[in-house]
Amino acid sequence: MPIRLKRPSARIAIASLYLCTLSGCVPIVLGAATATGMAATDRRSLGAQMDDTSIELRVGSRVGEVAAPTAHVNVSSYNRRVLLTGEVPADSDLQAIAAATKQDASVRAVFNEAVLAPEASSFGDRSSDTLIATKVKASLVAEKGLPSSAFKVVVERKVVYLMGMATKDEADLASSVASRVPDVASVVRVLEIVPKEAIERIAPAKASDASLAQEDATYAR
């Protein structure tokens, strides 16, 4: 059963994105509003953190070569799992960018949240997303008992995407906190759910064992 939370000003969707196929994947370049934790307290290994930075640069460059000039697409990577957001004008762009994304041998999974749109988001829209991302990250940091460095925050069109490695309780709490930030339209989880005992065994910045994680299977819109 999909998990749904509501508040007066917006419907909050807590979800995991589906792993997309080559034909259905929507690809990206750099540019999403994001906020991340410091490397020293990150649950990924240092190697995974470096890989994620490289993936974003490589895929962003490839997408820039194949996407239409009017496209605005973003790539965000966490633990070698890539989230795709933004706007493209045609289906052909979606497929071309998807192919470019999947060509990267370091990418473990690709999740599609890009949309077809005749025009890219405006500078004002992107500035608003950046502000929302900053507020969400600050709220996560302020929440007692929540390891904010376990999450990467991406915001596109007022939709908050939570990436990271977390226990189910941490994921639920982070989603609730993000949903209460003003101007947030919805919250989507793109998380690896990790057992609590595994988190306790793993030192900060050394938690990049994909075998410990399972996909969070709920998708609500």
Side-chain angles (χ1 to χ4, degrees):
M1 186 75 177
I3 301 173
R4 300 178 185 275
L5 298 181
K6 295 183 178 180
R7 63 174 185 171
S9 59
R11 179 182 57 154
I12 305 303
I14 299 181
S16 292
L17 295 177
Y18 56 87
L19 175 62
C20 59
T21 62
L22 177 59
S23 61
C25 250
V26 186
I28 344 198
V29 264
L30 300 175
T34 63
T36 58
M38 298 298 290
T41 56
D42 201 300
R43 284 177 174 172
R44 295 169 292 176
S45 68
L46 291 176
Q49 293 177 56
M50 293 175 66
D51 278 352
D52 286 333
T53 298
S54 297
I55 286 169
E56 291 180 350
L57 292 172
R58 288 195 305 269
V59 174
S61 177
R62 290 170 183 166
V63 166
E65 293 172 357
V66 300
T70 57
H72 162 240
V73 287
N74 309 294
V75 57
S76 303
S77 182
Y78 190 97
N79 208 26
R80 307 179 183 96
R81 291 151 47 95
V82 175
L83 168 67
L84 312 172
T85 59
E87 308 87 26
V88 295
D91 282 323
S92 58
D93 291 306
L94 299 185
Q95 300 204 13
I97 306 171
T101 304
K102 282 187 166 283
Q103 284 176 358
D104 196 299
S106 296
V107 174
R108 292 172 47 212
V110 181
F111 299 88
N112 171 25
E113 276 291 293
V115 298
L116 283 173
E119 296 182 355
S121 56
S122 68
F123 176 78
D125 291 335
R126 297 176 204 178
S127 297
S128 176
D129 287 341
T130 299
L131 180 59
I132 291 172
T134 300
K135 290 180 178 179
V136 169
K137 187 60 180 179
S139 295
L140 294 177
V141 170
E143 185 68 22
K144 185 177 180 180
L146 185 66
S148 60
S149 60
F151 301 94
K152 179 172 184 174
V153 178
V154 179
V155 181
E156 187 73 47
R157 301 181 305 279
K158 298 184 178 181
V159 177
V160 174
Y161 299 91
L162 295 178
M163 306 182 74
M165 301 174 67
T167 66
K168 184 181 183 303
D169 287 345
E170 291 170 346
D172 290 344
L173 179 56
S175 299
S176 178
V177 169
S179 74
R180 297 195 298 268
V181 172
D183 298 321
V184 169
S186 61
V187 178
V188 179
R189 298 199 307 211
V190 193
L191 297 166
E192 290 181 283
I193 302 302
V194 182
K196 182 178 180 180
E197 57 271 22
I199 293 293
E200 292 172 348
R201 289 199 307 265
I202 302 171
K206 299 297 180 182
S208 184
D209 185 358
S211 66
L212 296 175
Q214 62 183 33
E215 302 302 331
D216 181 359
T218 56
Y219 191 107
R221 222 357 125 191

